[in-house]
Amino acid sequence: DGGITQSPKYLFRKEGQNVTLSCEQNLNHDAMYWYRQDPGQGLRLIYYSQIVNDFQKGDIAEGYSVSREKKESFPLTVTSAQKNPTAFYLCASGWTSGSYNEQFFGPGTRLTVL
Amino acid sequence: QKEVEQNSGPLSVPEGAIASLNCTYSDRGSQSFFWYRQYSGKSPELIMFIYSNGDKEDGRFTAQLNKASQYVSLLIRDSQPSDSATYLCAVRLSREFGVAGNKLTFGGGTRVLVKP
C-alpha cells in the first residue's frame, strides 16, 4: 500500500522528556513537512525538507528538531524546550517539481504532556 | 490580518442543500489554492485544488476562484450528513515562489454541520 504512516498514534510524555515522532512515506515524494494543530485551530508549519540531509524551519520551529537521512523518513523530535507540546502533530509529503503543490497527510500523532 | 482567513462556523446546512464556504487571502500574487476536509480527530484529506480563475467541478464539489477579489470558495451540492467536517483552505503565497519546499499557508477552517 502506498501512503504516509505516522507512529505512534497516541503518545504521552512527562514534562522534561524528549520524544520522537515517526513519519514514513513510500510515495517517492521529495518534500516532507511537519505541522502542529491545536484544538479548533488551523495548521502551523514546524519544519520542512525538500531533499535528503536538508531541512528548513517553519513558523514555529522553536523546541523541535528534525532529520532527513532518507528520502522516505522525516522524524520529528519534540524537546523539553517546547513549552506547550500537547497538540495533534501531522506529517505531510508532496512533490517539489512540476505545477502541482499538493500535500498529502499522514494519520497524525496526538501528543499529550502529563 | 491573517494571510488566509475563513469563517470558523459552524455552518449549519440542511441535508440536500448547498453548502457555501469562503476563504480570503491577503497576498494578491498567490496562485495555488487547495481545499482539505478534516473529520473530527482525523487528518486532512485533499478534496480540491484550483489554479485558474473561474469554477472547477469534481462530483458534488465546486471550487471557485476570483483572484481580483482575492477569494476562493467551495460549494458542496446535495449536502449529506457525511459531509459534516471542518474544511481547511490552503494557499501557496507568492512569497513562496522560487523558494524550495512548496510551502502552504492554511486558514483556520470552517466547521460544517449537515442536519438530516
Side-chain angles (χ1 to χ4, degrees), chain A residues 34-67:
Chain A
W34 274 105
Y35 292 92
R36 168 183 173 139
Q37 187 175 37
D38 293 285
Q41 304 293 315
L43 306 181
R44 292 186 289 169
L45 183 65
I46 304 172
Y47 269 98
Y48 64 102
S49 167
Q50 70 156 359
I51 56 173
V52 174
N53 292 324
D54 188 48
F55 47 83
Q56 288 78 40
K57 294 181 178 180
D59 301 318
I60 55 165
E62 185 175 353
Y64 300 97
S65 66
V66 293
S67 63

Side-chain angles (χ1 to χ4, degrees), chain A residues 8-23:
Chain A
K9 186 174 181 180
Y10 298 98
L11 186 57
F12 297 90
R13 188 195 92 172
K14 294 181 179 179
E15 284 194 19
Q17 286 183 333
N18 293 352
V19 291
T20 298
L21 284 58
S22 169
C23 178

